[in-house]
Amino acid sequence: MKTASDAPGVRVGLVAARFNGSIVERLLEGARRFLLEHGVREEELLVVRVPGAWEIPPALDALAATGRVDALVALGVVIRGETPHFDYICNECAAGCARVTAQTAIPVGFGVLTCNDAAQAAARAGGKAGNKGEEAAEAALEMANLLGSLRS
Ligand code: INI
């Protein structure tokens, strides 16, 4: 049965940050697995890497501008430190992801963890709190299908 997240023919761009890379890779694995299991072909997946969560929005912009993606997924892990740096990165990353969708009408699944410590992040990257990369991919596919159906 076709579900809201089935996506034959949907092209997906994924932007993964290298900062806190071992946890981000688990988010990416979850997202990739979900997409492949729901009909996205390997050759329709475009994965790009950026230094950190701060750089995710400009990479999303660049992918959107190629005209080759129907959905985008943002993947990163921001962990609170001793200074307000965390707040600046989280706020700009989240606002940038929302802006990309607003400006391009390409849905962005938000799989950027914002956590107090590494244990919270690991729990959300395939641990006891699920895999937020997978959830972001699912949301992006559902929105790509919805927006596509409303346009046609
Ligand atoms: N980037 C992250 O993705 N996660 C973090 O936890 C983080 N911390 O803690 O600093 C982080 N910083 C780097 C930032 O995203 C930029 O890459 C950097 O400031 C260069 O522009």
Side-chain angles (χ1 to χ4, degrees):
M1 192 177 74
K2 192 174 185 323
T3 72
S5 301
D6 278 336
V10 175
R11 303 161 302 171
V12 185
L14 300 104
V15 179
R18 285 195 303 272
F19 208 103
N20 295 314
S22 63
I23 307 177
V24 177
E25 287 307 307
R26 286 181 245 159
L27 296 173
L28 179 59
E29 262 173 47
R32 277 177 52 82
R33 189 182 338 104
F34 182 89
L35 294 168
L36 294 171
E37 283 173 5
H38 287 78
V40 177
R41 295 200 305 272
E42 180 78 49
E43 59 270 28
E44 308 281 27
L45 281 184
L46 181 53
V47 179
V48 299
R49 288 188 166 72
V50 294
W54 179 266
E55 285 80 18
I56 289 175
L60 294 171
D61 276 327
L63 281 171
T66 66
R68 295 198 201 125
V69 293
D70 306 299
L72 290 161
V73 182
L75 300 169
V77 174
V78 194
I79 297 179
R80 192 182 290 281
E82 292 175 357
T83 71
H85 192 63
F86 171 91
D87 300 300
Y88 288 100
I89 294 176
C90 294
N91 290 342
E92 290 306 315
C93 180
C97 290
R99 178 191 51 73
V100 172
T101 296
Q103 289 181 346
T104 67
I106 297 173
V108 177
F110 189 65
V112 179
L113 302 180
T114 58
C115 297
N116 292 321
D117 55 46
Q120 283 185 348
R124 289 158 180 77
K128 62 179 189 297
N131 187 316
K132 302 299 173 188
E134 177 178 335
E135 291 175 24
E138 180 173 14
L141 276 197
E142 179 176 342
M143 289 304 293
N145 284 338
L146 174 67
L147 299 183
S149 69
L150 291 174
R151 278 184 208 117
S152 57

